[in-house]
């Protein structure tokens, strides 16, 4: 992987769920209303969970691979299709995509219909109490992906983005707590130590920046999460059947 510049991107990433990012002086109210209307599905706690009861990936034949660019590939080697998902661990919209569609995606992975390539970003660091939660959570994902099974990573990722996801502006998990979440998902002691010691934090900071740059380029310079791509085509995750349309 080439050298990653530490210069801040020229665009300002905007999470789908955060109206504060869209406050632009006199037009703030209008913009916020439009944003709320555009992403209302991700703010509705009552949205129906797809495949409720299935749980995370559980087929031991599913592998997790930490790739050269530190994206995380979850799936069977002969999966029919690979899709790309961009997420920030603190992003409420990302959490709702995982909550609503995560189990449906897990079944598609178990059945070999899909493989999931996660690109984790960290532009919400400043919205966390520690000011670096997203980066540390990305690092924890790297630790788990490097030395755990596919089902273990899936369980950890699910927990981190749903029941264990902190709120923007609220308290977040320190490294010891992140390590405990990984251990509860079945990760070995070496992974727990990797997370607790912050062994991959510097790597996470650099690769999250690269992923954010790639997302900004794919979206025409305006990065936002959650974002899902089928090849070069952005998937509309506001459509209830988007997973089904990818797995005919």
């Amino acid at each position: 992987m080439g050298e990653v510049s530490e210069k801040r991107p020229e665009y300002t990433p905007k999470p789908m769920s955060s109206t504060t990012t869209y406050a632009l002086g006199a037009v703030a109210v209008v913009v916020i209303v439009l944003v709320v209307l555009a992403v209302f599905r991700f703010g509705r706690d009552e949205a129906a969970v797809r495949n409720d009861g299935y749980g995370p990936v559980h087929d031991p034949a599913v592998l997790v691979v930490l790739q050269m660019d530190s994206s995380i590939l979850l799936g069977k080697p002969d999966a029919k299709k690979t899709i790309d998902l961009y997420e920030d661990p603190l992003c409420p919209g990302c959490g709702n995509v995982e909550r609503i569609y995560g189990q449906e995606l897990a079944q598609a992975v178990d059945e070999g219909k899909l493989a999931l390539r996660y690109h984790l970003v960290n532009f919400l660091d400043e919205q966390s109490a520690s000011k670096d939660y997203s980066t540390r959570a990305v690092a924890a994902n790297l630790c788990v992906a490097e030395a755990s099974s596919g089902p273990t990573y899936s369980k950890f990722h699910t927990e981190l983005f749903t029941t264990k996801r902190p709120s923007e502006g609220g308290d977040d998990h320190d490294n010891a707590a992140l390590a405990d979440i990984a251990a509860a998902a079945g990760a070995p002691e070496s992974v727990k130590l990797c997370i607790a010691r912050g062994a991959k934090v510097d790597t996470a900071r650099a690769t999250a920046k690269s992923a954010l740059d790639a997302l900004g380029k794919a979206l025409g310079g305006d990065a936002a999460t959650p974002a899902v791509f089928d090849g070069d085509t952005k998937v509309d995750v506001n459509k209830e059947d988007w997973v089904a349309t990818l797995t005919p």
Side-chain angles (χ1 to χ4, degrees), residues 178-196:
L178 287 168
D180 287 341
I181 296 170
E189 184 67 17
S190 61
V191 169
K192 187 174 180 180
L193 290 174
C194 178
I195 298 171

Side-chain angles (χ1 to χ4, degrees), residues 135-219:
T135 296
R136 291 186 296 101
V138 171
N141 273 267
L142 301 182
C143 288
V144 177
E146 186 175 58
S148 298
S149 68
T152 294
Y153 177 76
S154 179
K155 185 175 181 180
F156 172 74
H157 181 273
T158 298
E159 289 291 306
L160 204 63
F161 276 83
T162 57
T163 60
K164 302 297 185 182
R165 186 186 62 78
S167 299
E168 286 183 275
D171 292 336
D172 55 62
H173 305 300
D174 61 16
N175 285 350
L178 287 168
D180 287 341
I181 296 170
E189 184 67 17
S190 61
V191 169
K192 187 174 180 180
L193 290 174
C194 178
I195 298 171
R197 294 171 178 172
K200 291 192 177 295
V201 168
D202 288 342
T203 300
R205 186 173 294 111
T207 58
K209 168 65 166 58
S210 295
L212 190 59
D213 287 345
L215 178 59
K217 183 177 180 180
L219 295 178

